[in-house]
């Protein structure tokens, strides 16, 4: 090799070492400058191209990072580190398939590359491939059992898969190796909460805060536990503290709104309630890609307003009462709702055009504004005294009411019951109860208990005592128009906090709603009535999980009611 060429290579190596040292010390700009100088004279210098990509990555310029690292990979395709880092750059761009491909290429080159297994698991998790992500982490932990990052990721995925006991094992092992890791204590607290180990969860969140006093998510989750215990003011204080730490946490604002609304502070509550529109899960669920502006109460004369339902069926049944008020402001109203409510709402006042909910996020083009249904109470400045409470605002189909009158004919006092909500509801384990707890009601002379229960919980009828007669018509109810026809012929509905309770209340039928100790915000606190439904009576747990005293009161009141009716 000629002497001047060797000298040039030596000088380039020295330059690169200097750039690498700058990069390791965090002097990214200096490292970048030197790498550019190297690449100007030696465009095929793979290490400099790679480091140039890494400096761009550090500065969140992920497209530039991809270009430079990909060039390094092209020159040195057998370098596993380059493949891994290219995967990281793709992952930062949320190009998950490309990232996964890079990580797998890195692992083909180096099957013992533990960090690449962990990064692969992140990309797989982001794609929702949780089982594959766990498999990748399992290999990483076989290679390096004390790899705390892998333990943390595995625990978080197990939390997502609703396997809290297995997640706890991961976090506890991690914390024996790295006891100062705040996010591990936080994640451990989440797993413990899922198992209703509230005291242990509170302690774990507390340890996270002792390490990181401004850990907003730990503050939030302690607030949630306090709210579940009925310590409402203390919960609100923690939510506020979390917001002071990070004002952009949509979920914390959302939780604070529930405290305000639960305690009747509607003005503050509705304001915080609007933060739900910024939550990732809300946007994903509602698939809103609407270019029209959000309606905030502007004039609708000559305009078209697109309104869409959101959250649960009960929420829709509760808040459709606002649609006639919207229509009274003029303009044309389009309302999009779930398929199961189309029949019920086909002639509802205030709706000019009823649309089935689009699973593909396709929106009508002829709109000037759009608004989510549950934003309407805020727009109409709703407080405890201005709730539009005129019932009934839903009416049974005459033909279906007649059909169910024939099915249910007879003199006894007819009580419809619902004992369980949708299993996927985040609070279902607290709000639902067992059919067996309704058995004493069926023993009251003159009472006929009729099930309106759908889903897997309907199977509980098979476990009733032989001398208990409760017929469940739930499986025969194809949609809510059938349910309304049945309810129209009942004397009373007794239901846990589900859509049926809202339906009966909207029909103006007598309905007794059974509430868990920590109720949903709409039911307020410490009252047996609700301003939302004049015909509804509330029966609340006095302590968490204690349904027996609730049913004792229901049994007593039902006996008195039937006695008064002289059935």
């Amino acid at each position: 090799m000629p002497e001047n060429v060797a000298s040039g290579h030596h000088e380039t190596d020295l330059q690169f070492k200097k750039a690498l040292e700058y990069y390791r010390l965090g002097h990214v700009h200096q490292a970048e400058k030197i790498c550019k100088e190297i690449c100007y004279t030696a465009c095929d210098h793979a290490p400099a191209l790679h480091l140039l990509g890494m400096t761009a990555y550090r500065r969140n310029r992920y497209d530039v990072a991809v270009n430079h690292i990909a060039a390094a990979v092209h020159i040195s395709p057998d370098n596993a580190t380059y493949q891994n880092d290219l995967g990281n750059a793709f992952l930062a761009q949320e190009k998950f398939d490309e990232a996964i491909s890079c990580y797998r290429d890195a692992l083909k080159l180096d099957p013992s590359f533990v960090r690449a297994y962990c990064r692969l698991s992140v990309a797989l998790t982001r794609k929702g491939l949780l089982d594959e992500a766990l498999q990748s982490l399992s290999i990483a932990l076989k290679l390096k059992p004390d790899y705390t990052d892998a333990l943390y990721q595995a625990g978080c995925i197990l939390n997502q898969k609703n396997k809290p006991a297995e997640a706890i094992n991961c976090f506890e092992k991690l914390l024996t190796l790295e006891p100062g890791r705040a996010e591990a204590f936080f994640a451990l607290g989440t797993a413990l909460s899922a198992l209703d180990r509230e005291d242990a969860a509170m302690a774990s969140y507390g340890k996270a805060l002792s390490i990181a006093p401004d850990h907003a998510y730990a503050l939030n989750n302690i607030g949630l536990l306090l709210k579940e215990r009925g310590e409402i003011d203390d919960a609100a204080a923690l939510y506020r503290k979390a917001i002071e730490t990070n004002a952009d946490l949509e979920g914390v604002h959302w939780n604070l709104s529930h405290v305000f609304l639960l305690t009747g502070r509607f003005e503050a509550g509705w304001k915080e309630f609007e933060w739900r529109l910024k939550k990732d899960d809300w946007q994903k669920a509602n698939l809103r890609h609407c270019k029209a502006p959000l309606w905030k109460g502007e004039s609708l004369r000559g305009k078209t307003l697109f309104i869409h339902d959101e959250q649960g069926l009960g929420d829709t049944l509760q808040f459709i009462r606002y649609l006639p008020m919207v229509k009274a402001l003029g303009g044309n109203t389009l309302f999009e709702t779930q398929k199961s409510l189309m029949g019920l709402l086909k002639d509802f006042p205030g709706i000019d055009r009823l649309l089935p909910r689009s699973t593909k996020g396709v929106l009508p083009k002829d709109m000037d504004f759009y608004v989510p249904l549950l934003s309407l109470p805020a727009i109409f400045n709703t407080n405890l005294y201005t709730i539009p409470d005129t019932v009934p605002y839903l009416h049974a189909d005459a033909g279906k009411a007649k059909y169910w009158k024939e099915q249910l004919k007879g003199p006894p006092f007819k009580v419809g019951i619902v004992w369980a909500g949708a299993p996927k509801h985040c609070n279902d384990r607290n709000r639902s109860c067992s059919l067996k707890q309704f058995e004493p009601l069926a023993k009251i002379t003159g009472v006929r208990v009729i099930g309106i229960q759908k889903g897997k919980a309907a199977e509980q009828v098979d476990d009733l005592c032989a001398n208990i007669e409760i017929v469940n018509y739930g499986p025969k109810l194809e949609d809510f128009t059938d349910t309304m026809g049945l309810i129209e012929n009942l004397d009373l509905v007794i239901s846990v906090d589900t859509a049926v309770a809202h339906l009966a209340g909207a029909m103006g039928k007598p309905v007794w709603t059974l509430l868990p100790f920590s109720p949903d915000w709409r039911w307020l606190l410490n009252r047996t009535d609700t301003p939302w439904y004049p015909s509804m009576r509330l029966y609340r747990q006095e302590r968490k999980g204690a349904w027996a005293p609730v049913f004792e009161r229901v049994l007593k009141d039902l006996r008195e009611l039937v006695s008064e009716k002289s059935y």
Side-chain angles (χ1 to χ4, degrees), residues 149-423:
D149 285 349
L151 287 166
Y152 177 73
Q153 286 177 225
C156 290
I157 294 171
L158 289 164
N159 267 345
Q160 283 186 254
K161 288 175 64 66
N162 196 28
K163 295 184 176 181
E166 294 178 45
I168 289 170
N169 290 335
C170 290
F171 296 130
E172 288 181 340
K173 183 176 180 180
L174 185 163
L175 289 166
T176 61
L177 298 166
E178 193 176 339
R181 192 159 177 173
E183 68 265 29
F185 278 113
F186 170 77
L188 174 60
T190 302
L192 292 164
S193 291
L195 293 174
D196 287 328
R197 294 172 59 184
E198 292 183 3
D199 291 338
M202 191 81 79
S204 193
Y205 292 138
K207 288 179 181 177
L209 286 172
S210 69
I211 299 165
D214 292 335
H215 198 302
Y217 294 105
L219 290 166
N220 174 71
N221 283 21
I222 293 175
L224 289 172
L225 290 174
L226 291 174
K227 178 178 174 291
E228 288 296 308
R229 294 180 177 184
E231 299 174 33
I232 305 300
D233 292 338
D234 291 339
L238 285 173
Y239 295 149
R240 289 193 185 97
K241 187 174 180 181
I243 290 170
E244 288 173 5
T245 300
N246 186 340
D248 295 325
L249 293 176
E250 301 93 347
V252 185
H253 284 279
W254 168 250
N255 292 333
L256 182 59
S257 78
H258 290 182
V259 167
F260 286 143
L261 294 170
L262 185 65
T263 53
R265 292 172 281 180
F266 278 16
E267 182 178 358
W270 299 130
K271 181 179 178 181
E272 296 291 333
F273 200 69
E274 289 302 286
W275 277 83
R276 75 195 187 284
L277 275 62
K278 298 182 180 182
K279 294 176 63 185
D280 288 341
D281 58 349
W282 189 93
Q283 293 179 1
K284 182 178 179 181
N286 290 283
L287 298 174
R288 296 301 92 191
H289 305 295
C290 186
K291 295 181 179 179
L294 180 68
W295 184 58
K296 298 181 180 179
E298 300 94 329
S299 172
L300 292 174
R301 296 293 177 186
K303 304 292 184 180
T304 296
L305 175 64
F306 173 73
I307 309 165
H308 66 86
D309 69 2
E310 53 173 312
Q311 302 181 46
L313 294 170
D315 297 279
T316 304
L317 295 172
Q318 180 177 359
F319 291 102
I320 53 171
R321 68 183 72 202
Y322 284 91
L323 297 183
M325 298 168 63
V326 174
K327 182 60 181 174
L329 299 177
N332 188 45
T333 57
L334 313 179
F335 185 63
E336 181 191 68
T337 191
Q338 298 181 56
K339 184 178 179 180
S340 60
L341 293 177
M342 292 290 288
L344 180 151
L345 295 176
K346 65 179 181 179
D347 296 317
F348 192 79
I351 301 176
D352 291 312
R353 180 150 57 110
L354 185 63
L355 304 168
R357 190 155 177 82
S358 171
T359 57
K360 297 181 179 179
V362 179
L363 298 171
K365 296 179 181 179
D366 53 336
M367 69 174 85
D368 297 290
F369 298 100
Y370 87 98
V371 68
L373 180 63
L374 270 67
S375 291
L376 296 180
I379 291 172
F380 286 98
N381 298 313
T382 304
N383 60 43
L384 283 173
Y385 308 101
T386 61
I387 290 173
D389 61 353
T390 301
V391 295
Y393 57 84
L394 288 178
H395 305 273
D397 175 82
K400 294 193 175 184
K402 182 178 179 181
Y403 169 82
W404 283 105
K405 184 176 182 180
E406 287 297 314
Q407 298 298 311
L408 303 177
K409 63 183 178 182
F413 190 88
K414 292 181 276 292
V415 179
I417 62 170
V418 179
W419 54 91

Side-chain angles (χ1 to χ4, degrees), residues 47 147 168 327 344 449 479 507 543:
Y147 192 25
I168 289 170
K327 182 60 181 174
L344 180 151
V449 178
D479 62 18
M507 294 173 66
R543 65 181 186 278

